[in-house]
Amino acid sequence: MEHKKTYNVMELKTTKGFLTIEGPISSDQLKKMDFHEDLVAFRPPSQQHKALTEIAALPEGRIIIARDHNTIVGYVTYLYPDPLERWSQGKMDNLIELGAIEVIPKYRGSSVGKSLLRVSMMDEAMEDYIIITTEYYWHWDLKGTGLNVWEYRKVMEKMMNAGGLVWYATDDPEISSHPANCLMARIGSRIDDDSIQQFDRLRFMNRFMY
């Protein structure tokens, strides 16, 4: 499958000033930008910056960023699922995962996350993919936001809905381990029936294992 990527950009007005939301950004462009020190959700900022440049260099990898001048203050990543996860077992070249989304505390509540997702879906090539995201409550910043798991889940769902991702049932053990965890997905308009059936089989792999 040819992984086409078309760059899109929008300006977002927030109470803290204007942000540029753009992407997919190339690996070389990412290297030249500063990475905000408050982007700490997944690993130390310098390591996460490096990880983003590596994802951007992958054929299917996509990084959409929110930046304040030359400083990245938010991002979302898309790439093939981890080889150890069930979602990679179908070896589907048209299934990619929204792997991470993060916005610094200063800009939370300013629709930055929703805007990152909207810019992601401006690329017409996204109609050729099934896009999934797996949400686990233990990754959520409950302490920083002061929200409980259900309030945070609601916020996450609303944000994902902005990109066209909706809730899907699954028997994945990790997702099923807590009722707040969930699988969300967006099935592109050009996805064929065979791919949808394959995705359904991945969602319910344990059906015949009892």
Side-chain angles (χ1 to χ4, degrees), residues 34-49:
D34 298 320
F35 201 73
H36 201 283
E37 61 186 10
D38 289 340
L39 292 168
V40 295
F42 299 98
R43 48 174 77 89
S46 60
Q47 290 178 32
Q48 188 66 353
H49 192 183

Side-chain angles (χ1 to χ4, degrees), residues 180-195:
N181 295 344
C182 66
L183 168 70
M184 298 187 76
R186 179 186 188 275
I187 296 177
S189 61
R190 291 193 291 267
I191 294 295
D192 59 88
D193 289 344
D194 286 349
S195 294

Side-chain angles (χ1 to χ4, degrees), residues 42-186:
F42 299 98
R43 48 174 77 89
S46 60
Q47 290 178 32
Q48 188 66 353
H49 192 183
K50 184 172 179 284
L52 296 194
T53 62
E54 289 168 0
I55 292 168
L58 297 170
E60 85 286 0
R62 291 164 171 269
I63 305 292
I64 315 297
I65 62 162
R67 65 176 172 83
D68 177 3
H69 296 90
N70 197 51
T71 301
I72 297 169
V73 296
Y75 62 86
V76 59
T77 72
Y78 300 88
L79 71 166
Y80 281 141
D82 187 305
L84 299 175
E85 292 182 346
R86 74 157 61 186
W87 313 107
S88 65
Q89 289 180 30
K91 295 185 167 49
M92 298 175 68
D93 63 3
N94 59 352
L95 187 149
I96 57 172
E97 183 169 19
L98 189 168
I101 185 164
E102 184 179 9
V103 176
I104 65 168
K106 177 182 174 180
Y107 287 106
R108 286 185 196 156
S110 302
S111 293
V112 179
K114 287 180 180 177
S115 300
L116 285 165
L117 290 168
R118 288 185 183 122
V119 170
S120 303
M121 303 312 163
M122 283 178 187
D123 188 345
E124 214 251 339
M126 289 303 227
E127 300 305 332
D128 294 317
Y129 292 102
I130 295 173
I131 301 161
I132 66 162
T133 185
T134 51
E135 293 299 332
Y136 304 111
Y137 81 90
W138 48 84
H139 287 161
W140 299 343
D141 183 16
L142 301 175
K143 190 179 173 188
T145 57
L147 301 175
N148 65 38
V149 286
W150 297 111
E151 290 165 336
Y152 202 105
R153 157 81 183 262
K154 208 170 185 178
V155 169
M156 286 301 300
E157 277 202 72
K158 268 188 168 176
M159 182 169 66
M160 293 301 170
N161 290 162
L165 286 90
V166 296
W167 178 89
Y168 276 82
T170 180
D171 61 11
D172 178 78
E174 250 193 317
I175 291 173
S176 305
S177 69
H178 191 280
N181 295 344
C182 66
L183 168 70
M184 298 187 76
R186 179 186 188 275

